[in-house]
Amino acid sequence: MNQSEQIPASQNNEFEAPFDIVPLPSDGILYANKKDRIKVEFLLSRDENILTSPNLIRSGKILDVLLERKIKDSDIKPEDLLVGDRNSIMIFLRATGYGSKYPVKVIDPNTGEEFETEVDLSLLKNKGLGATPDENNYFDFTLPKLKKKIKFRLLTAGLEREILERVDAISKLNKNSTGISNLLTTRLTTMIMRVEDKTDKIWISQFVDHMPASDSLALRKYIDKIEPGVDMEYTFTSTSGNVFKQNVPVNIDFFFPS
């Protein structure tokens, strides 16, 4: 990951936590304050109380609570961070807290063999915003099959949490659930702000439900292409010597090294 600028703790307070000024992959382009880097405190022993709290683990709110404590800039809230910027901070916290070596299990796509290896998190690079937003911070895209012009926004951490909560609530209310999740279409409905001259969210939701799969895939690929964040693609070498690229798997062990 891109190097941050380390700021030593004040010598006047022996218990003042050290912090870094961490660069954001988005360069702050989509934020009102245009701040391209923020002050982030290192992980401390007391933060492990968060990481090991059963209630937070069950609720899935560990990252929210952790970032509330670790981000020391008063003019930016963790929920307002773009997902890619938040993920970059999480990797910074893991690398500086427990070291840059992250043990993982991956599968060799050539042999199907699962093997254990390590990822050096310091080698992961930030990728910037890949397109220019309009005055509303929306992005333009033309659906290749329907030929319709749309405008969409990128998700913040807060919007992503709302989407997950909405999908979970709908699943619990639907007593005759087939087990099919509407996460993908809910995410697209939240991101798409306009289809041609239509801005009504109910109409956009129905449009998304009936969008050709090829258009949905093309849009999601474009979003992945332009969204700022950390490039998680990593080069692995299997025990049999095969070299291949694959996204770094992030699992429960990310903040719980053995």
Side-chain angles (χ1 to χ4, degrees):
M1 191 172 68
N2 294 356
Q3 293 295 317
S4 53
E5 301 171 7
Q6 184 170 349
I7 305 296
S10 169
Q11 300 301 313
N12 296 326
N13 186 348
E14 62 178 315
F15 294 119
E16 183 177 348
F19 59 86
D20 270 10
I21 304 300
V22 180
L24 301 175
S26 71
D27 289 326
I29 293 172
L30 300 182
Y31 301 137
N33 59 18
K34 303 301 179 185
K35 183 168 285 190
D36 64 351
R37 53 194 63 219
I38 58 176
K39 179 180 175 181
V40 182
E41 186 182 86
F42 288 172
L43 277 181
L44 306 175
S45 175
R46 67 187 181 193
D47 297 319
E48 294 185 303
N49 292 326
I50 296 174
L51 300 174
T52 56
S53 294
N55 289 339
L56 291 178
I57 293 173
R58 283 193 294 269
S59 68
K61 294 182 178 179
I62 282 183
L63 299 187
D64 298 331
V65 175
L66 185 64
L67 288 181
E68 284 284 352
R69 176 179 287 185
K70 296 289 94 180
I71 292 177
K72 296 304 178 180
D73 272 286
S74 59
D75 59 346
I76 188 165
K77 297 180 180 179
E79 62 265 28
D80 294 333
L81 286 170
L82 292 174
V83 171
D85 286 342
R86 180 202 59 185
N87 292 345
S88 179
I89 294 171
M90 298 311 299
I91 291 176
F92 160 80
L93 288 172
R94 169 55 168 82
T96 56
Y98 295 114
S100 62
K101 298 301 176 64
Y102 169 46
V104 295
K105 292 181 180 180
V106 294
I107 296 177
D108 184 336
N110 298 313
T111 65
E113 171 198 10
E114 184 180 65
F115 63 97
E116 296 181 357
T117 186
E118 283 187 333
V119 169
D120 186 347
L121 296 175
S122 68
L123 297 179
L124 300 178
K125 304 298 182 183
N126 285 346
K127 63 186 186 76
L129 192 64
T132 302
D134 65 14
E135 66 277 6
N136 296 311
N137 284 338
Y138 299 160
F139 298 87
D140 296 304
F141 185 73
T142 300
L143 300 173
K145 188 173 182 64
L146 293 178
K147 307 300 181 185
K148 291 186 178 293
K149 295 179 180 181
I150 70 167
K151 286 185 176 289
F152 67 90
R153 60 181 172 178
L154 296 180
L155 292 179
T156 62
L159 284 173
E160 185 181 62
R161 183 177 66 248
E162 288 177 14
I163 290 169
L164 293 175
E165 290 174 350
R166 195 182 317 152
V167 170
D168 184 59
I170 291 174
S171 177
K172 290 178 179 178
L173 286 173
N174 189 355
K175 298 180 180 180
N176 298 317
S177 175
T178 61
I180 299 174
S181 170
N182 64 344
L183 178 60
L184 187 151
T185 52
T186 301
R187 179 174 277 118
L188 288 181
T189 297
T190 303
M191 298 180 78
I192 295 175
M193 306 304 292
R194 176 186 292 271
V195 180
E196 297 289 345
D197 62 342
K198 303 284 189 180
T199 58
D200 179 75
K201 274 298 183 179
I202 295 177
W203 187 93
I204 289 176
S205 176
Q206 294 174 339
F207 175 83
V208 168
D209 282 344
H210 294 86
M211 184 190 302
S214 60
D215 279 347
S216 172
L217 178 60
L219 174 57
R220 287 182 280 118
K221 283 185 174 181
Y222 182 70
I223 292 170
D224 288 341
K225 179 181 177 181
I226 72 166
E227 191 169 31
V230 180
D231 185 356
M232 298 296 285
E233 189 175 66
Y234 197 81
T235 300
F236 294 97
T237 302
S238 69
T239 53
S240 56
N242 292 323
V243 179
F244 59 95
K245 290 185 177 182
Q246 182 175 303
N247 281 350
V248 176
V250 177
N251 51 46
I252 191 65
D253 295 329
F254 190 73
F255 273 114
F256 297 90
S258 41

